[in-house]
Every structure is written in C-alpha cells, then in structure tokens.
Amino acid sequence: MRINRILLSVALVVVALVIQVAVLARLQLPGATPDLVLLVVLGLAFVWGPVSGAFIGFGAGLLADLAPPADHAAGRYALVLCIIGYVAGMARPENGQLKSAFTPMAFVVVAALGSTLLYAGVGALVGDTAARHVGLGSLLFTAAVYDLLLAPFTVPLIMALARRTENDPVADSSSGDVAAGWLASGTGLRIGSQRGGMRLRAARSRAARAGRIKGVKRL
C-alpha cells in the first residue's frame, strides 16, 4: 500500500473507533452497536480493491479487538473485517461506473449481516455464547438498520477522501473507482470520453508544434 493510503486509512479507522467506543457504544441502543469501523473498511475497499480492503480490515479489526472495553479474544474481529474488506473490494464494478447508490447500500446491509454472523460463528468456535443470550435475530436486524442509516452520511465521504489520495483525479477505469461512478451517474459526465478528448487535443498540439519546427528548418 502507498504511504498516503496508509496514513488516510489509519486516521479514518482511529477516528471511527474513537467515535464508536466513546459515543455510539454509550447510547445504549437496543440490539447491536452501530459499526462505524465496518463502514470505513467498506468505503476504502470500494475504492482501493480487495487486497487493500483485506489489509485495512485486518488492521481495523485488530484495533477494535484491543480497544477497551474489549471482552473477547484478540484477532476475532480482525478476521471478520479482513474477510469483509476483501469481499467488498471484489464487489466493486470493473469500470467504476454505477447507475445508482443501490449497489453499495445493499452491500452495506450484506456486510452488516455477514460480519455479525461471522463474529458469532467465530465466537461459537472459541466457546463464546454471548450472541445466544442477546438474541442473534435481534443483533442481525439492528446491525443492518443502524449501519444502513449511517452509510449515506459516511461511505460516500470516505470514498471521496480515498479517491483524493490518488495522483490522477480521473485515473483509468481499471482502478474500479466507485466514487467516480457515483459522480458520473449524478452529473451525466462521461469521464472516459473526457480522457479521450484530452488525448486527442494533446496529439493535435504535438503535431502543430512539429509542423512549426519543420517550417523553421526549411527557412
């Protein structure tokens, strides 16, 4: 990963974890706690891809495992977010073009349900049956609702910040930039055609300069 990506991901994960532990966890909402760290991992994975998403998910999960008042084995949530980050990166479109925000929002719901199930499953393997006492159904429903309510206010912003770490604001489509897809869908701009026009103008400019140089040599 690039240095600017590492710095941005660390900053976002730390801020999200502090807000989650100091504010969201103390609201005493019924069921699950809104998972702001999960949304950060999703937003970055949507832009940077599966490998970066897996690394960021593992680091974010490990910090969450160690942050007080942690009451479970370290590495448990790191494994969950590592898997979620990798899958989120794989789910990005090939050309980064999205017709609507339905796909990322749907994946937020899937990620909320998947992370809750994975966390409970790993806990069952190590003898932690807390999910049974709280009620797995209630945890799944509230996790999906809370994360879906937070996602429109966090995921697009995280994706925009992640996009700014790239050197080229209109990088090629192979980068799978979902934020660019949202921009194109909302404004009607075709980034690919813009790049083609820029290349055509650059070629014409070089041809004109070459013609002027040849004219000078003939004189």
Side-chain angles (χ1 to χ4, degrees), residues 182-193:
W182 284 5
L183 177 62
S185 64
T187 61
L189 297 176
R190 296 183 178 275
I191 297 176
S193 60

Side-chain angles (χ1 to χ4, degrees), residues 20-211:
Q20 183 169 318
V21 173
V23 179
L24 298 179
R26 297 187 179 183
L27 294 179
Q28 296 183 349
L29 296 173
T33 300
D35 199 339
L36 191 57
V37 176
L38 172 66
L39 298 180
V40 170
V41 173
L42 291 178
L44 296 178
F46 282 150
V47 178
W48 292 339
V51 176
S52 296
F55 277 108
I56 295 170
F58 180 82
L62 189 59
L63 286 178
D65 287 331
L66 299 176
D71 57 353
H72 56 269
R76 180 174 166 185
Y77 200 48
L79 174 62
V80 171
L81 286 188
C82 180
I83 296 174
I84 294 295
Y86 184 84
V87 176
M90 292 291 291
R92 63 180 184 170
E94 290 294 334
N95 58 0
Q97 301 293 328
L98 285 177
K99 296 181 179 180
S100 68
F102 174 78
T103 300
M105 292 301 103
F107 197 87
V108 167
V109 176
V110 174
L113 297 176
S115 62
T116 303
L117 288 174
L118 285 173
Y119 187 81
V122 175
L125 293 176
V126 296
D128 185 357
T129 59
R132 297 180 182 177
H133 301 294
V134 177
L136 184 58
S138 175
L139 287 176
L140 290 172
F141 176 76
T142 53
V145 171
Y146 296 154
D147 291 349
L148 187 60
L149 291 176
L150 281 178
F153 305 100
T154 55
V155 175
L157 177 61
I158 293 167
M159 293 173 65
L161 291 175
R163 192 65 195 87
R164 288 180 177 273
T165 62
E166 304 299 326
N167 294 328
D168 185 2
V170 284
D172 56 21
S173 60
S174 62
S175 63
D177 184 7
V178 181
W182 284 5
L183 177 62
S185 64
T187 61
L189 297 176
R190 296 183 178 275
I191 297 176
S193 60
Q194 288 179 350
R195 291 198 302 269
M198 293 173 63
R199 289 194 294 266
L200 180 59
R201 288 194 295 269
R204 288 176 178 175
S205 177
R206 288 194 297 269
R209 288 198 299 270

